[in-house]
Amino acid sequence: MPNVKGARLRRSRAGAGVVLASVTALFSLGGLHAVPSVAADAGAQGPSRTRVTAAVLPLDDGTRKPLLSGKDTAYDTASIVKVDVLAALLLQAQDEGRHLTAQERALAEPMIRNSDNAATNTLWREIGGAPALEAANKRMGLTATRGGPGAKWGLTRTTASDQIRLLLAVFDGTPAVRTASPLDKDSRTYIQNLMTRVADDQAWGVSAVSGSGYALKNGWLQRTATGLWDVNSVGRVTVDGHRYLVAVLSDGSGSMSDGVSVVERTARQAVAATTRT
């Protein structure tokens, strides 16, 4: 694993992640099983008001009910919305009977692998902003995600359970996950490949659960009004040969590094809790 501590500090200074969501859903996650909330480390947070929610869905045992830690309320997405933007773009391309253009791919790759904001600005406009994102999400079974206002895609609001629905649309096609993703096999494979090849300085968050064999997208945003941080991580991890979809959303951390620590600790504990239920 790369020097994550140094990478976090560089990202925090650079602010690279600071950015500027139904008829019948195709997926039904069923009821959410609650597990004990993961308490934040008050000593590490200082004056912050951190809250955190995690949702975990095991992929290999046929379960349809994610385990939930914390209240399944809405958080700002920050850059995790970039997976959603790419899924919407691919659905539009599918509807038009075409593959992504070379230019679209040249934007999509850095958007996911490097969390490039300029590329996201362009693709957000191309898909049609919040209304188009929400239309795509309706097809993918998301029920509680609302696109950010105007050009502010990072202020899209989502829940942990909705992020599991999005991940199901992306990682569908395994024997234990028998749902009909509107994303075709080529589209799913394309997103998965990008999420498994994130740049070294992006390899934190839910990847802390497994260390290898992960696919992820992270998001981080410092709020102007409070100076506090939103830090999120979503993806698929493999632990002892078992695969899980994991979404951890947080806000109110006093620093980015505190937020990353909360997300990673919560992801570990939430995945571990699935073996005790």
Side-chain angles (χ1 to χ4, degrees):
M1 195 168 179
N3 185 342
V4 176
K5 181 177 181 181
R8 292 173 190 158
L9 293 175
R10 289 195 299 274
R11 288 193 304 277
S12 179
R13 288 194 295 265
V18 177
V19 294
L20 278 164
S22 358
V23 189
T24 303
L26 293 178
F27 297 108
S28 176
L29 292 181
L32 291 170
H33 287 298
V35 298
S37 298
V38 179
D41 182 351
Q45 294 163 21
S48 68
R49 302 183 297 275
T50 302
R51 62 175 188 150
V52 60
T53 302
V56 178
L57 181 67
L59 285 179
D60 299 325
D61 62 4
T63 184
R64 307 300 303 134
K65 296 180 180 180
L67 295 168
L68 183 69
S69 172
K71 294 182 179 180
D72 198 31
T73 55
Y75 293 78
D76 293 323
T77 58
S79 286
I80 61 169
V81 76
K82 293 169 181 176
V83 174
D84 208 357
V85 171
L86 180 53
L89 178 68
L90 287 162
L91 280 176
Q92 290 178 356
Q94 287 178 201
D95 291 344
E96 296 165 7
R98 65 175 182 86
H99 297 294
L100 295 188
T101 66
Q103 177 62 21
E104 287 169 337
R105 288 176 177 267
L107 294 167
E109 180 165 345
M111 178 175 71
I112 302 299
R113 296 192 63 221
N114 305 98
S115 205
D116 185 273
N117 291 338
T120 313
N121 291 339
T122 300
L123 292 178
W124 178 256
R125 291 192 297 269
E126 179 174 338
I127 67 168
L133 187 81
E134 291 171 11
N137 284 345
K138 185 176 180 179
R139 295 169 64 181
M140 293 186 289
L142 281 69
T143 61
T145 299
R146 301 293 178 264
K152 297 180 180 179
W153 42 263
L155 297 185
T156 295
R157 301 281 284 173
T158 194
T159 63
S161 59
D162 245 17
Q163 287 302 298
I164 294 295
R165 293 181 177 98
L166 176 60
L167 291 170
L168 270 172
V170 171
F171 291 97
D172 185 27
T174 62
V177 181
R178 301 187 183 281
T179 50
S181 173
L183 292 165
D184 64 26
K185 182 178 180 180
D186 288 344
S187 293
R188 296 194 307 269
T189 299
Y190 182 63
I191 303 175
Q192 291 172 27
N193 285 342
L194 293 181
M195 292 178 70
T196 59
R197 297 188 297 113
V198 295
D200 285 349
D201 67 349
Q202 304 284 315
W204 51 270
V206 297
S207 60
V209 175
S210 59
S212 63
Y214 56 80
L216 62 77
K217 183 69 193 78
N218 298 321
W220 60 100
L221 168 66
Q222 187 177 27
R223 305 316 299 263
T224 302
T226 64
L228 300 177
W229 287 80
D230 302 336
V231 181
N232 306 317
S233 185
V234 299
R236 184 187 64 188
V237 300
T238 303
V239 182
D240 297 329
H242 298 288
R243 297 165 302 162
Y244 303 85
L245 300 181
V246 185
V248 184
L249 310 180
S250 77
D251 60 21
S253 288
S255 67
M256 180 179 170
S257 60
D258 284 351
V260 171
S261 295
V262 167
V263 165
E264 293 184 342
R265 181 170 63 251
T266 301
R268 291 189 190 97
Q269 295 179 353
V271 170
T274 65
T275 65
R276 302 194 297 270
T277 57

